[in-house]
Amino acid sequence: MKLQRKNGLRAAALGALVVSGALVLTACGSDDNASGGDGGGTKPTASSNIDCGDAKGQLRASGSSAQKNAMDLWVKNYMAACPGVQINYNSSSSGEGIVAFNQGTVGFAGSDSALKPEEVADSKKTCQSGQGINLPMVGGPIAIGFHLEGVDKLTLDAPTLAKIFDSKIKKWNDPAIAKLNEGVKLPDTAVQAFHRSEDSGTTQNLGKYLNAAAPDAWKYEPEKAWPAPGGQAASGSSGVAAQVKQVDGAIGYFELSYAKSQGITTVDIDTGGSAPVKATSENASKAIAAARIKGQGKDLALGLDYATKADGAYPVVLVTYEVVCDKGNKPETLSAVKSFLGYTASEDGQKILTEAGYAPIPAEINAKVRETVKGLS
C-alpha cells in the first residue's frame, strides 16, 4: 500500500509538471478566444498580493525570448493565485510576437524593441478603436557570453566587439583583444561568433549599442535581423547560449539569465569609465535608470543611452515591452490582460526580476505602466 501511494504521488507530481510546462510553452493558436472557467474572481492566497479581479479563461501571448525566464516565474505565480486563468506565453521572438499581435491572435506581445510607426499603423486593424502601445516591463543586461578554454576572465570594448561580430577579428589572440587583457594568456583559437537566426529585439539592442558606442567600427543600422556577414546563427537566446556553452572559441549574446542558468562566463565591458563593467542586474539598472520616456500619450517607449560611460553602468541593455491595445482589446481577454500585467508591473512582480538575472523598471516609469494598465479598455 505504501509503495502504491508513493507511486501515485510521483505520477501526480509529474502530471502537474507536464501541465505547467504546457501552459507556459504552448504555441499561439489561430485566435485568442478565452475558454470558459469557473475560477473567475478567485482571491489570491494569503501570501499573495495578486488581484485576479474577474479574469478567467485562456490568455495567449507571444514574442520575446529575452523575457522567457521572467515570464515563466510570473505565469507560475499568477496561475497559483488565479487558477481560473491559463496564461500561454509562446517564447518565440520579438518579430514573431509583433506579427501575432497585429494579426489579432494574441492578447499581448513581448518585444525587445518599441513598435515602429508602420507596426503601430498595422495595429489599428486589431485595436479597432485604438492602437498598439509599448509598456516597459522587463529590463536587463545583454550578456556577451564566451567559451574559451583556459580563459575565465575577459574584457572587451565596443570597437573590438564590433570587429568580432563583423568577422574582422578572427583569432582570440588578436592584438586588439590582447591589449584589453594584459596578463591573460590568450590562445590561438578561431573566433566562433554566434548570432540570432530570426528577427530579434535582442539583436536590435546589441546593434544600437555597437552603433552608438563604436560608430566607426559598426556601420550597420540597428535592425531586428542580423546585418553582418559571416558568423553562425542559432534560434532564440536559448539556442545561442547552447552553442556558446558547447563550442570552444565561441562568443554570443543573450540575456544574463541564460548565462546564469547554463554557467556561461560573460565579458566585462570597457566603456571608458574608471573600470570595466560586469554584466549584472545591478549594473544594468544603473544604465536603465537614466532612461527617459520618448513615447507619446499612453505609449511608454523609452530612450536608452547605449554609449554611457558612467561608472558602474553596464551599457549593453535592453528593455522588453508588453505590447497591448490602448483601446479595443478583446472583451473576452481584457480582464485577464489587465490582471496579469497589473501583477507583472506590481512591486511584487518587479521584485522577482533581480533574482532571475533581470533588472526592474525604474520606479517612476513603472508607476506610469501600472496606471496605463488600469486604463486599458
Side-chain angles (χ1 to χ4, degrees):
M1 290 295 291
K2 288 184 179 180
L3 179 60
Q4 288 178 340
R5 185 171 182 271
K6 185 181 292 184
N7 288 339
L9 289 173
R10 183 180 295 123
L14 287 172
L17 285 173
V18 170
V19 170
S20 175
L23 290 174
V24 175
L25 299 176
T26 296
C28 297
S30 59
D31 59 52
D32 194 30
N33 294 327
S35 60
D38 59 3
T42 303
K43 296 296 182 183
T45 60
S47 61
S48 169
N49 293 319
I50 297 174
D51 182 5
C52 305
D54 58 357
K56 61 182 179 180
Q58 187 178 69
L59 173 61
R60 293 187 177 96
S62 176
S64 165
S65 65
Q67 68 172 354
K68 178 188 181 300
N69 294 331
M71 191 61 71
D72 285 354
L73 287 172
W74 282 333
V75 168
K76 177 183 176 182
N77 292 347
Y78 180 83
M79 289 178 56
C82 307
V85 186
Q86 294 181 353
I87 310 291
N88 296 330
Y89 183 78
N90 178 31
S91 173
S92 50
S93 69
S94 297
E96 292 173 80
I98 296 303
V99 169
F101 177 76
N102 282 342
Q103 289 177 342
T105 62
V106 294
F108 69 89
S111 177
D112 305 326
S113 296
L115 293 169
K116 294 180 179 179
E118 58 269 27
E119 292 171 335
V120 173
D122 286 344
S123 74
K124 294 179 181 180
K125 300 171 186 176
T126 295
C127 312
Q128 294 183 3
S129 59
Q131 65 181 40
I133 58 172
N134 304 283
L135 301 179
M137 201 67 72
V138 184
I142 300 175
I144 310 298
F146 71 97
H147 176 182
L148 193 56
E149 295 295 337
V151 178
D152 57 10
K153 181 176 176 57
L154 189 69
T155 296
L156 297 172
D157 58 12
T160 307
L161 273 171
K163 292 171 185 175
I164 287 172
F165 281 113
D166 199 17
S167 301
K168 300 290 176 58
I169 290 178
K170 301 183 183 300
K171 294 283 188 178
W172 277 107
N173 60 354
D174 186 276
I177 300 177
K179 184 178 180 180
L180 292 165
N181 295 274
E182 293 183 8
V184 177
K185 187 175 181 180
L186 296 167
D188 185 32
T189 304
V191 172
Q192 305 278 352
F194 286 88
H195 58 263
R196 293 280 289 273
S197 60
E198 73 286 0
D199 285 3
S200 160
T202 310
T203 293
Q204 188 170 35
N205 280 280
L206 175 66
K208 288 178 180 178
Y209 161 69
L210 294 175
N211 196 260
D216 293 336
W218 190 258
K219 301 294 187 180
Y220 309 100
E221 289 297 317
E223 296 290 348
K224 290 187 177 76
W226 181 255
Q232 301 181 59
S235 178
S237 292
S238 59
V240 174
Q243 290 298 319
V244 170
K245 184 175 179 65
Q246 294 171 13
V247 178
D248 185 24
I251 186 170
Y253 58 95
F254 32 78
E255 294 66 45
L256 182 61
S257 60
Y258 290 92
K260 284 188 171 184
S261 65
Q262 298 203 36
I264 297 171
T265 309
T266 61
V267 170
D268 295 346
I269 302 296
D270 184 345
T271 64
S274 61
V277 186
K278 294 185 177 299
T280 68
S281 297
E282 180 183 6
N283 292 342
S285 293
K286 292 177 183 177
I288 295 172
R292 295 292 179 265
I293 294 173
K294 64 178 184 180
Q296 301 296 317
K298 293 183 178 180
D299 183 78
L300 301 179
L302 302 180
L304 298 167
D305 181 8
Y306 294 93
T308 181
K309 295 182 180 180
D311 285 348
Y314 184 82
V316 198
V317 295
L318 61 74
V319 168
T320 298
Y321 300 94
E322 312 311 337
V323 177
V324 296
C325 298
D326 58 354
K327 297 179 182 179
N329 289 278
K330 293 183 179 181
E332 62 267 33
T333 54
L334 175 59
S335 293
V337 168
K338 293 176 71 171
S339 173
F340 179 65
L341 296 185
Y343 161 60
T344 63
S346 70
E347 290 186 10
D348 286 350
Q350 290 290 299
K351 190 181 299 182
I352 67 174
L353 292 178
T354 302
E355 302 168 14
Y358 296 95
I361 299 300
E364 181 180 348
I365 295 171
N366 194 48
K368 294 182 179 180
V369 173
R370 290 197 294 268
E371 180 182 350
T372 302
V373 169
K374 289 179 181 178
L376 298 178
S377 63

